[in-house]
Amino acid sequence: MGNSRVTVREIARLAGVSVATVSRVWNGTGQVSEEMRRRVLEAIEEHGYRPDHLGQALAARRHGALGLVFPGLSGPYFTELIQGFESEAVPARASVHILCTHMREDSDAQVLEMARRVDGIAVIGGTISEPVLLRLAEMVQVVVLAGRGTGTVPSVSVDNAPAMTRLTRHLLVDHGLRDLAFVGNPDGSPDISERWAGFLAAHRELALTPPAEPVRVAMQQPDGVLAAEQLLRGGAAPQAVVCANDEIALGVLVGALGRGLRVPEDLVITGFDDAPMAALVSPPLTTVRQPVRDLAAEAARLILNAVEAPGTAAPDSIVLPTELVVRHSCGCPTGAPLGGIGQ
């Protein structure tokens, strides 16, 4: 006989998995490892859990919907984020609503209005002001995605600064380069601010003088082309261009090749993200691989867990690891073993 006191949250805790994973196992949807499936089924069997409890937990949601707040939707990065977020939301039977704030004069009002129609929201870091973020957190469960939380708002991000330090050290130590330019705008983007800080830290650790300022451009490929024109004007090109993301790096690559420069012989170019195109261009792009889908999936799990068990304490922050991927755009053979790179 089923135990009426057993809840989906308790089954998740006993099995050491998320509430969304229990939902996937029970409904036979989504991807779950055999080990997780076994633990969930054993907990269900041992404690007499029955599906009506899952239905009650799901019914407790006011809307059965989650929100994503982005600055915009251009580029592969946001596509990956959406897919990662949906990988947790869909099996938990939650729809996903997306709001882009770019060029909206009423973006604050729109975000607050969204909060009335969803049970939780993930917000890209730097997209809304701190006062609005805190007000939002009073209405629904909020998670800052790719940024830092504030107050009681948790966050999910990657190790941007250490990753950029490793990449920059690779250029300074393993390739002996000295004249490096950083392309990207740290203002308003926590990710880019941390990457700029990591770039500076690598120079500081080696007692080298970095450039005083980054080349401030937006995050899309045409902006990288504009940065290349600025950097290469007059023939005084740096030895390497360290870009804040892969889209900028691909634009810089187009601009450099258009001016007749050879990469990496005349100019080294690196990115950040490891977007699909990074491995397909010629030369393939040295970059930092970040787990974009996992980033968004983790944010969705935090929200879903909070929705299923109100009052449960969430971690202040979750920081996911990255991986340095060396390819030929920095002068390394593509697929070269990393060995002691960045140490």
Side-chain angles (χ1 to χ4, degrees):
M1 179 178 296
N3 181 350
S4 62
R5 291 174 296 178
V6 177
T7 67
V8 64
R9 180 70 184 180
E10 289 169 310
I11 293 298
R13 179 182 59 80
L14 291 165
V17 300
S18 69
V19 171
T21 297
V22 176
S23 171
R24 284 197 295 269
V25 170
W26 189 264
N27 291 298
T29 59
Q31 295 183 350
V32 180
S33 72
E34 286 304 315
E35 172 61 20
M36 285 187 177
R37 187 182 305 278
R38 180 189 62 78
R39 297 205 306 265
V40 171
L41 292 176
E42 285 181 356
I44 288 172
E45 180 65 25
E46 180 179 352
H47 296 276
Y49 175 72
R50 291 297 179 266
D52 57 317
H53 296 294
L54 177 59
Q56 290 168 8
L58 290 169
R61 295 179 182 166
R62 292 181 294 124
H63 304 287
L66 304 181
L68 274 172
V69 178
F70 291 158
L73 283 177
S74 62
Y77 177 76
F78 293 107
T79 300
E80 292 279 304
L81 285 178
I82 293 169
Q83 291 174 345
F85 198 80
E86 288 187 330
S87 72
E88 292 293 322
V90 172
R93 303 184 210 171
S95 61
V96 177
H97 298 186
I98 298 172
L99 173 65
C100 296
T101 62
H102 180 59
M103 297 183 72
R104 282 180 177 267
E105 293 183 359
D106 62 342
S107 59
D108 287 352
Q110 290 293 324
V111 172
L112 294 172
E113 175 60 30
M114 170 186 269
R116 298 183 176 91
R117 296 181 279 108
V118 298
D119 301 310
I121 297 178
V123 181
I124 289 287
T127 304
I128 60 177
S129 67
E130 183 174 321
V132 174
L133 181 65
L134 292 174
R135 185 177 173 190
L136 201 63
E138 295 175 352
M139 303 172 67
V140 293
Q141 177 62 44
V142 181
V143 174
V144 175
L145 184 57
R148 292 286 179 259
T150 182
T152 60
V153 180
S155 64
V156 184
S157 59
V158 300
D159 59 348
N160 285 294
M164 186 56 82
T165 297
R166 288 194 300 272
L167 172 58
T168 306
R169 283 182 62 93
H170 173 55
L171 302 180
L172 295 172
V173 176
D174 299 316
H175 290 284
L177 304 176
R178 288 296 176 265
D179 184 9
L180 277 57
F182 182 95
V183 179
N185 189 354
D187 300 334
S189 169
D191 274 355
I192 308 310
S193 177
E194 291 175 0
R195 291 169 198 173
W196 169 241
F199 175 84
L200 296 176
H203 285 80
R204 189 165 52 247
E205 290 170 7
L206 298 168
L208 298 172
T209 302
E213 290 288 332
V215 178
R216 299 176 188 273
V217 298
M219 300 289 286
Q220 298 179 32
Q221 187 169 328
D223 303 300
V225 176
L226 293 175
E229 293 177 359
Q230 179 178 339
L231 285 166
L232 304 178
R233 188 181 301 126
Q239 292 178 301
V241 180
V242 178
C243 299
N245 72 354
D246 286 348
E247 286 198 68
I248 294 174
L250 293 173
V252 173
L253 178 63
V254 169
L257 296 177
R259 287 178 170 264
L261 272 69
R262 300 168 301 161
V263 178
E265 293 85 356
D266 300 324
L267 181 68
V268 164
I269 301 172
T270 67
F272 199 109
D273 287 339
D274 199 26
M277 281 299 295
L280 301 178
V281 295
S282 181
L285 190 64
T286 290
T287 186
V288 172
R289 178 179 297 149
Q290 64 163 321
V292 179
R293 292 196 189 192
D294 292 344
L295 194 73
E298 194 66 52
R301 280 193 289 269
L302 285 178
I303 294 172
L304 288 167
N305 287 342
V307 169
E308 301 296 353
T312 302
D316 291 336
S317 64
I318 296 173
V319 180
L320 302 181
T322 56
E323 177 187 355
L324 177 59
V325 180
V326 295
R327 299 190 179 106
H328 191 49
S329 74
C330 72
C332 287
T334 296
L338 296 184
I341 284 176
Q343 301 301 315

